[in-house]
Amino acid sequence: MRIAAIRFAGVNVTPKTNWSFVQVATEDRRTGTGECTLANHEAVLALEVARLDAALRGADARDRNALARLLPHAPGGLVRHAAISALEQALWDLAGQEAGVPIWRLLGGRLRDRVALYANINRGVAERVPEGFAAAARRAVADGFGAVKLAPFDPFVWEDAAAPDQRAAYARGIERIAAVREAVGPGIDVMVDCHWRFSAGGAAALVRDLARFDLFWLECPLAEANLGELRRIRAMANDRGMRLAGAETLAGLAGFAPVIAAGAYDVLMPDIKYCGGYEEMRRIAALAQVHGIEIAPHNPTGPICHAHTVHACATIPNLGRLEVQFGETPLFFGIAAGTVPAISGGAAPVPDRPGLGAALAEGIAAERPWIPIPSPWLDPRLG
């Protein structure tokens, strides 16, 4: 099963969102697909995939250990990690197709037939006022979700926190959380994503301000570089009934091991697009399990990442809920061929088709090519 070509495919799905993919074609006319979405980095992703294509044409696609080895110290950083992670996903897809079995079967079998989901409502909120968030949360609950997540603090960034408009942004964030909690009621779990917007002192104040909302978890209050402060914030959150979650952009077991050893999080969020793919995600989950830490993979992007992550989640013992985008775009299913696991009803069925069971629709990248995004979701200082 020799590699004939490795191609990048970028697809625009909203005025603020592109999704990016890697397709590995073999000489025996199979195509394996992985996802490498990394907002506002499509051009450099395409260059990195072209480099992989030049280096790996003619290689045996079954040699995953040699072809898709993730090195956390790689000079390309997260761009390199995303390309390698997508390559590894695509190679697993090819292996399943060749064997005639779903990927989870090659990983030793599934532990569950369905993977519990939570709804990330953030990008599905057009009117970013408290009622807009509340309405999105109600739609998710009506669709069967028992947990919702919002990212309520844009445009707050701690470096500017002394400015009056930033103080107002913080207050609006609290109002959005209050509206969602009231909208969904006490029986629904609510998570809050901070996207690393806070300093250590600001995160401590935030934990105190959020205690009244009975949150399930607080996510990414500050960067993983500050493990000592994260451990302190975790203790504060735990004392108030909240978990602390994060580590969505780390890569490889080597990247996660210090975070696990430091006791920084209750919940780790490896992303199959960045962490190195299946093998690294499962290694990370195994080490986390030894330390009593749950895994809730980061998964707010496209259908290929979602399908791969469902396969991986089927095999992870210490799994919590899997993230899924809710309400951002109907193209989640429109750009895909095959069977993409459901993103409604609060759980996704584990696929039974060979390989991944899903792929990009024929010609979709040419029909909807990626575009530069002039107004990204996140302040460039945050990621």
Side-chain angles (χ1 to χ4, degrees):
M1 192 163 58
R2 298 286 172 181
I3 294 175
I6 302 175
R7 297 183 292 262
F8 173 81
V11 180
N12 177 251
V13 294
T14 80
K16 298 185 75 171
T17 300
N18 297 312
W19 291 332
S20 299
F21 309 93
V22 169
Q23 297 173 304
V24 179
T26 63
E27 293 175 356
D28 58 354
R29 299 184 181 278
R30 292 189 177 95
T31 299
T33 311
E35 184 167 344
C36 58
T37 298
L38 185 60
N40 305 310
H41 290 77
E42 292 81 10
V44 285
L45 282 169
L47 289 172
E48 183 62 22
V49 173
R51 192 191 69 76
L52 290 173
D53 176 53
L56 300 181
R57 282 197 184 197
D60 192 325
R62 294 168 293 188
D63 291 338
R64 288 183 304 277
N65 289 342
L67 302 182
R69 183 182 176 199
L70 185 137
L71 299 174
H73 62 271
L78 195 55
V79 169
R80 170 69 173 170
H81 300 157
I84 287 290
S85 297
L87 171 65
E88 200 256 15
Q89 297 163 38
L91 296 178
W92 275 109
D93 184 10
L94 288 168
Q97 291 178 39
E98 183 184 44
V101 298
I103 294 172
W104 55 261
R105 176 64 69 193
L106 298 179
L107 298 173
R110 59 188 175 190
L111 299 174
R112 52 189 64 86
D113 296 328
R114 295 172 66 80
V115 172
L117 305 173
Y118 72 86
N120 181 338
I121 64 172
N122 190 55
R123 294 191 180 190
V125 178
E127 296 294 326
R128 300 188 73 79
V129 296
E131 180 48 38
F133 280 89
R138 284 192 291 266
R139 288 194 296 271
V141 172
D143 202 28
F145 287 94
V148 299
K149 184 171 81 177
L150 67 158
F153 288 109
D154 53 288
F156 180 88
V157 179
W158 73 267
E159 295 171 11
D160 305 328
D165 64 327
Q166 293 290 291
R167 294 175 184 270
Y170 179 82
R172 287 196 299 273
I174 299 296
E175 291 168 0
R176 292 162 176 163
I177 297 167
V180 168
R181 168 44 75 202
E182 182 178 2
V184 301
I188 302 296
D189 290 331
V190 175
M191 298 91 132
V192 169
D193 188 352
C194 300
H195 285 137
W196 316 281
R197 294 181 182 276
F198 292 88
S199 65
L206 175 67
V207 167
R208 290 190 289 268
D209 286 344
L210 296 184
R212 60 194 168 102
F213 296 121
D214 186 29
L215 298 183
F216 187 74
W217 79 43
L218 182 67
E219 179 181 330
C220 294
L222 59 153
E224 278 83 22
N226 202 339
L227 292 177
E229 288 299 332
L230 274 173
R231 184 170 57 244
R232 182 174 71 90
I233 298 302
R234 176 188 179 185
M236 290 184 62
N238 290 173
D239 286 346
R240 292 160 177 81
M242 284 180 275
R243 296 165 173 84
L244 200 68
E248 66 193 52
T249 59
L250 298 186
L253 181 60
F256 279 81
V259 177
I260 294 171
Y265 290 120
D266 301 282
V267 181
L268 289 175
M269 305 180 68
D271 190 319
I272 205 166
K273 299 189 305 294
Y274 311 139
C275 75
Y278 285 88
E279 294 281 16
E280 291 292 342
M281 179 176 280
R282 282 157 51 84
R283 291 182 184 119
I284 292 159
L287 183 60
Q289 185 178 17
V290 172
H291 289 78
I293 298 171
E294 289 185 359
I295 298 296
H298 184 248
N299 179 45
T301 51
I304 301 301
C305 179
H306 175 62
H308 277 295
T309 311
V310 169
H311 279 274
C313 286
T315 73
I316 292 174
N318 49 327
L319 180 72
R321 291 188 182 98
L322 171 62
E323 179 176 19
V324 68
Q325 68 85 24
F326 182 80
E328 182 178 11
T329 171
L331 289 171
F332 188 91
F333 293 101
I335 69 166
T339 302
V340 177
I343 58 169
S344 61
V350 176
D352 281 320
R353 297 179 64 174
L356 179 63
L360 289 181
E362 185 78 23
I364 194 67
E367 180 185 329
R368 303 189 61 90
W370 73 270
I371 61 173
I373 303 295
S375 180
W377 281 101
L378 286 183
D379 186 301
R381 291 173 291 177
L382 299 173

